[in-house]
Amino acid sequence: MKVIVGVAGGIAAYKACHLVRNFKEAGDEVRVIPTPSALNFIGAATFEALSGNSVSTSVFEGVDEVQHVRLGQEADAVVIAPATADLLARLAAGRADDLLSATVLVATCPVIVAPAMHTEMWLNPATQANVHTLRSRGVTVLEPASGRLTGVDSGPGRLLEPEQIADLARMVIAGQKLPRDWEGKSVLITAGGTQENLDPVRYLGNRSSGRQGFALAEVAAQRGARVCVVAGATEELPTPAGAQVVRVTSTEEMAQAVAEHAPQADALIMAAAVADFRPASRAGAKMKKGQDEAALNSIKLVENPDILRTAVLARERGELKAGMAIAGFAAETGDERHSALEYGLAKLERKGCDLLMCNEVGVGKVFGERHNRGWLLRAGEGEPEVTEVPDGSKYEIAGAYLSQVLRALDQRSLHG
């Protein structure tokens, strides 16, 4: 794939180096086109070394090749990170006064723009109008993160992390758009695995990385939703842009957090790998070899609360929004009696939720991986609807799943 990485003149330009490397390591051909001011932050030699291609900023360089036309025509995607307020304004106006803006004007491929600027500039009506204009023309303008900016300032306007930009860009390039169809709606998402303490050192857990839950949160936020994530144990993943993240450890803590935040949500998506059992008792000090052999050799377990089923019952009792959509994930393995899909269908009926994504898990399958696959199970008046979900990135799975949750939400609103 031929990717043009555009870089505007902002302090966040250094992150573009990591973005270029991300695409290169995936096997893509990368051409970096900085604006002239971007070279005040990162030298051309750095971009040339990382991309393996020469760098120019002006339409008057390589005139014999008509660069501004050829580059735009041949690109499979244009990804601009960071995009300053000035560049957004020039793109919205259709300007072509440097090589980057001219290339964008020629490009018919997906154009993905990741803004970065101070909060006041991002929220300024002029910038927001330019963003609206670009989106109306089919340009994907990502929502920036909220966090530390230059100096002591903090707030929305921080550039997304390179990994987030690359994953969202690949999703758009693969054909999944980021429409603003979740605007005005709130979604509560659980992510990661829960850990049940045996003593202050040891715990019972699972291999969940939290990637699928965080991908759901990121895509939902980019589609305009108000997002709250209840996160258990996760890898060091970037915080989804604009999302509120509530950190928990155990299943009981997750259940409490869901109960607290669910009444405000239009949809609940249980993507966390929740522990079904916890130790009946927990040692107050580290169990020692030789001294606690009985405790180490025999651990009594008790069932954890069923968070998904509890939410469904709460909706039926009128404690949650009547039109609330409730969806979940089922991590299953097959055995000599039933397949993973059959166990997933049984779980859909038992839980009573609207949707269930069934994954067949195991070593090297789904947990900790960047891709996912399985079956989408939808409850109905008769037999449940089963749709096979082919292998795709967790961001692609998130986009497709959120569309199905939105469909369930619309149907509940229609009949509610």
Side-chain angles (χ1 to χ4, degrees):
M1 183 170 66
K2 293 183 178 180
V3 180
I4 290 174
V5 174
V7 185
I11 188 63
Y14 74 93
K15 289 186 178 180
C17 298
H18 299 283
L19 181 61
V20 172
R21 174 163 286 178
N22 189 303
F23 283 120
K24 287 291 289 184
E25 289 180 349
D28 299 318
E29 182 182 335
V30 181
R31 177 72 181 264
V32 181
I33 305 180
T35 63
S37 59
L39 297 182
N40 290 321
F41 295 91
I42 305 293
T46 299
F47 289 132
E48 289 177 344
L50 290 172
S51 68
N53 283 308
S54 61
V55 166
S56 56
T57 63
S58 171
V59 294
F60 296 106
E61 297 177 34
V63 174
D64 57 322
E65 298 178 2
V66 197
Q67 278 196 110
H68 67 287
V69 174
R70 180 179 57 81
L71 291 172
Q73 288 175 335
E74 295 180 354
D76 295 305
V78 177
V79 183
I80 303 175
T84 58
D86 176 70
L87 181 59
L88 290 175
R90 290 195 288 120
L91 295 179
R95 297 278 293 274
D97 44 4
D98 59 17
L99 185 57
L100 178 56
S101 57
T103 299
V104 171
L105 208 56
V106 171
T108 57
C109 60
V111 177
I112 300 98
V113 177
M117 63 198 73
H118 264 70
T119 301
E120 293 83 359
M121 297 176 76
W122 170 248
L123 297 178
N124 189 285
T127 301
Q128 290 301 306
N130 290 331
V131 169
H132 177 77
T133 296
L134 290 170
R135 285 174 174 165
S136 71
R137 295 174 184 164
V139 175
T140 299
V141 182
L142 302 177
E143 288 291 316
S146 183
R148 183 70 179 270
L149 305 170
T150 54
V152 298
D153 294 335
S154 183
R158 179 183 172 89
L159 184 66
L160 294 170
E161 294 305 314
E163 180 183 342
Q164 292 172 295
I165 298 169
D167 284 336
L168 289 165
R170 290 190 182 99
M171 175 185 171
V172 174
I173 295 165
Q176 281 204 34
K177 305 298 183 184
L178 290 169
R180 305 289 292 178
D181 50 359
W182 274 84
E183 283 188 331
K185 300 178 178 65
S186 61
V187 58
L188 177 62
I189 299 171
T190 66
T194 57
Q195 298 176 350
E196 308 298 335
N197 290 332
L198 291 165
D199 63 23
V201 176
R202 305 175 182 89
Y203 64 85
L204 298 177
N206 56 57
R207 294 186 175 92
S208 174
S209 65
R211 285 186 177 276
Q212 186 63 79
F214 271 44
L216 283 160
E218 185 69 70
V219 176
Q222 293 296 342
R223 287 169 66 165
R226 297 187 303 275
V227 180
C228 177
V229 183
V230 179
T234 60
E235 294 182 355
E236 293 185 6
L237 303 174
T239 301
Q244 175 190 2
V245 179
V246 179
R247 293 285 178 181
V248 299
T249 300
S250 67
T251 300
E252 288 180 309
E253 289 174 355
M254 182 170 284
Q256 292 169 5
V258 169
E260 178 183 347
H261 294 279
Q264 293 82 43
D266 296 298
L268 167 65
I269 303 176
M270 287 288 301
V274 180
D276 294 323
F277 305 95
R278 68 181 186 275
S281 61
R282 301 166 188 173
K286 179 184 176 183
M287 294 183 286
K288 306 292 193 299
K289 288 182 180 179
Q291 298 176 17
D292 301 288
E293 288 296 330
L296 288 169
N297 292 333
S298 178
I299 300 172
K300 184 179 179 181
L301 301 176
V302 295
E303 285 192 5
N304 267 321
D306 187 331
I307 305 175
L308 183 56
R309 180 59 183 159
T310 299
V312 172
L313 292 174
R315 181 179 64 185
E316 292 174 357
R317 292 193 298 265
E319 297 168 4
L320 304 176
K321 292 182 180 180
M324 183 187 203
I326 300 178
F329 279 72
E332 297 289 350
T333 59
D335 55 28
E336 65 278 358
R337 293 176 298 171
H338 299 288
S339 67
L341 175 58
E342 288 171 331
Y343 279 121
L345 287 166
K347 184 171 285 188
L348 175 70
E349 182 178 1
R350 189 168 67 251
K351 301 289 187 181
C353 54
D354 302 300
L355 289 170
L356 200 67
M357 172 81 179
C358 179
N359 310 115
E360 186 169 13
V361 298
V363 178
K365 293 181 180 179
V366 181
F367 280 164
E369 303 294 320
R370 291 183 173 274
H371 281 234
N372 202 348
R373 59 191 176 278
W375 302 270
L376 179 66
L377 315 180
R378 174 184 288 278
E381 294 182 0
E383 290 295 315
E385 180 184 324
V386 180
T387 305
E388 184 171 356
V389 179
D391 185 81
S393 76
K394 290 188 174 178
Y395 274 71
E396 292 175 83
I397 299 295
Y401 197 65
L402 283 164
S403 293
Q404 292 299 321
V405 174
L406 192 60
R407 175 185 162 193
L409 187 58
D410 289 341
Q411 287 178 340
R412 282 198 162 270
S413 299
L414 217 75
H415 297 101

